[in-house]
Amino acid sequence: MSRFWSPVVQTLSPYVPGEQPRQGGLIKLNTNENPYPPSPRVQAAIAGAVERLRLYPDPRATVLREAVAARHGVAAEEVFVGNGSDEVLAHTFPALLKHEAPLLFPDITYSFYPVYCRLYGVSYQEVPLDAAMRVQIADYRRPCSAILLSNPNAPTGIALPRTAIEALLAEHPDQLVVVDEAYVDFGAESAVPLVARHDNLLVVQTLSKSRALAGLRVGFAIGQRPLIEALERVKDSFNSYPVDCLAIAGAVAAIEDDAWFEETRSRIMASRDLLVKGLTGLGFEVLPSHANFVFARHPGHSGAELFALLRERGVLVRHFQKPRIQDFLRITVGTEDECSRLITLARDLV
Ligand SMILES: Cc1ncc(COP(=O)(O)O)c(C=O)c1O
C-alpha cells in the first residue's frame, strides 16, 4: 500500500496463478498445461521469424487470423487475436460486458472473471451451479446485460452440449453470450458453428492447452464482425502489438499441424480415462470431465490435507480454498506415466 496507489488499485484482489516451481523433479499437474511439447514445426517457424524481430509485428496479425479462420471455417474478419486468451477476455470486459445490468457467470468458474469485473468496474452476479456442479441454463433467466460461461467449465471440467448453448443464445437474443472454450479440444462441442446464426455470441479459445503453447501466449475470439471491431477498438487503445512476430509464426505452425494436434490430444484423453478409473477405484468422486484436468474429492480426506500430502511427495495439483469446492483437487492430466505415478501415490494416502 502506498499513498500513490489509485483508489481502484487499492480495491483490487488480483488473480493468483498456479505455482510455477523453480526446482525440477516435481510432477506438475497444477496449471493444466499440456504434458507434451508443441508441434516440432513450431520451433522451425519461430527460428525463421527471428530475422523479422527488427521490425514491429503486423498489428492485425493477419496471417494468424487467417490460419484461425481457415481452421474454424469463418472469415478472418471474424477473428480477434491477443496475448493469451486472458488478454482477449480482459478486452472483452470493457468492450462488450460493461453495461448497467449485471454480467452473469457461475459461482464456481474461472476465478479471473470477478477480477476483471473489479478492474473494469463491471457489475456482476454469480449464478450457483446446481448440486451436481452443473450449469443449468434455466438459472440464467434473470435480468442481465450478458452471460459468460467457461465451457467446459473450469475447474469442474463439466461441459454443456452445443444444443444447450444454442438454447441459451435463443433465450437471450439481446444479451451477449461469451463462451470461454479454453479446454474445448479435449472432447467437448465448440459453439463456433453457431457464430454465423447468432450475433450475440463470442467464442474465446487459446493455444495454451491443446496446442501446448502456454509459454507463447496466444488466444483468440471468434464472433460476428461488430463484436470483433469492439475488441479491436479496445486493443488499439491499449497496445497495438499484443502478439509478437515469434508468437505469430509459432502459432500459425501449431494450428497447421493437425496430425500433431490429433495425436497429442487423443493421448491426453486416453490418460484422462485412466486417471478417472484409477481415482474412482480409490474411492474418489470424480466429476465427468471434458477437459485436460479432473476435479475430484475423497470422502475420507479434506482437499487441503491431500494437496499438502501430494506436495510433500513431489506432486503439484491445484486446491482452491473456496466454499463448495474446498474438498476438491483439480488434477491436470499428465503423461501416462505421470498419471500412474499419481495413482500409486494416492493409493498410499487414502
Ligand atoms: C477457463 C480459462 N480461460 C482462459 C484461460 C487463460 O488461458 P491463456 O491466457 O493461457 O490463453 C485459462 C487458463 O488456465 C482458463 O482456465
Side-chain angles (χ1 to χ4, degrees):
M1 176 71 116
S2 147
R3 69 186 189 286
F4 301 116
W5 283 18
S6 67
V8 65
V9 164
Q10 289 176 36
T11 64
L12 295 179
S13 23
Y15 174 74
V16 182
E19 182 182 348
Q20 294 293 347
R22 299 189 65 171
Q23 82 261 38
L26 292 172
I27 301 183
K28 192 175 176 307
L29 305 176
N30 66 330
T31 47
N32 299 341
E33 288 138 335
N34 197 308
Y36 302 110
S39 155
R41 292 193 206 170
V42 169
Q43 192 174 356
I46 289 179
V50 167
E51 62 182 3
R52 293 202 296 277
L53 281 176
R54 191 175 59 79
L55 304 172
Y56 283 104
D58 170 9
R60 295 267 163 276
T62 310
V63 291
L64 174 54
R65 286 191 300 112
E66 285 170 354
V68 172
R71 154 106 199 146
H72 289 279
V74 298
E77 293 70 36
E78 294 171 317
V79 179
F80 175 82
V81 294
N83 190 265
S85 61
D86 276 340
E87 187 187 72
V88 175
L89 287 164
H91 287 340
T92 306
F93 282 76
L96 296 162
L97 301 177
K98 186 172 177 168
H99 300 283
E100 208 151 296
L103 165 69
L104 304 181
F105 50 78
D107 62 339
I108 306 296
T109 191
Y110 187 33
S111 48
F112 224 137
Y113 303 155
V115 175
Y116 289 133
C117 285
R118 283 190 286 270
L119 176 62
Y120 290 110
V122 174
S123 68
Y124 68 96
Q125 267 176 26
E126 294 179 335
V127 181
L129 296 180
D130 73 8
M133 295 281 178
R134 292 177 181 276
V135 170
Q136 293 295 344
I137 62 160
D139 295 341
Y140 289 75
R141 288 179 198 139
R142 53 170 101 174
C144 64
S145 66
I147 295 167
L148 171 56
L149 294 179
S150 168
N151 193 40
N153 196 11
T156 64
I158 298 175
L160 286 171
R162 189 184 297 134
T163 47
I165 300 291
E166 184 148 37
L168 188 71
L169 290 163
E171 281 185 24
H172 298 271
D174 296 321
Q175 278 88 30
L176 185 70
V177 175
V178 179
V179 186
D180 175 358
E181 295 188 345
Y183 301 100
V184 74
D185 290 330
F186 301 104
E189 285 179 344
S190 174
V192 169
L194 305 177
V195 161
R197 290 201 302 278
H198 295 275
D199 65 357
N200 59 333
L201 171 63
L202 187 77
V203 181
V204 179
Q205 290 194 10
T206 179
L207 273 69
S208 297
K209 314 293 180 182
S210 56
R211 303 279 173 175
L213 288 176
L216 202 65
R217 312 305 304 128
V218 180
F220 59 89
I222 295 179
Q224 290 189 13
R225 181 71 201 130
L227 301 183
I228 300 304
E229 195 186 333
L231 294 172
E232 284 169 353
R233 288 171 71 98
V234 170
K235 171 211 152 239
D236 288 327
S237 307
F238 179 79
N239 175 5
S240 308
Y241 311 106
V243 188
D244 65 63
C245 58
L246 304 184
I248 292 173
V252 170
I255 290 169
E256 289 177 347
D257 194 346
D258 270 331
W260 187 268
F261 169 72
E262 290 301 342
E263 190 195 322
T264 49
R265 72 172 177 150
S266 308
R267 282 181 78 174
I268 291 167
M269 289 188 280
S271 300
R272 179 178 67 205
D273 292 345
L274 290 179
L275 188 57
V276 172
K277 225 167 145 188
L279 291 172
T280 311
L282 296 176
F284 280 86
E285 176 197 355
V286 187
L287 301 189
S289 171
H290 282 90
N292 69 336
F293 57 84
V294 299
F295 206 45
R297 67 179 162 188
H298 194 279
H301 302 270
S302 76
E305 178 197 351
L306 286 178
F307 170 82
L309 290 170
L310 286 169
R311 182 82 178 74
E312 277 167 21
R313 287 156 181 77
V315 181
L316 265 186
V317 297
R318 192 92 197 256
H319 173 246
F320 301 92
Q321 195 56 55
K322 193 181 155 137
R324 294 190 79 187
I325 57 168
Q326 69 270 36
D327 280 334
F328 281 88
L329 297 178
R330 194 196 66 190
I331 307 169
T332 304
V333 179
T335 59
E336 292 91 341
D337 182 49
E338 287 171 329
C339 292
S340 340
R341 282 161 71 186
L342 173 89
I343 291 162
T344 307
L345 272 176
R347 188 169 296 128
D348 293 340
L349 299 180
V350 297

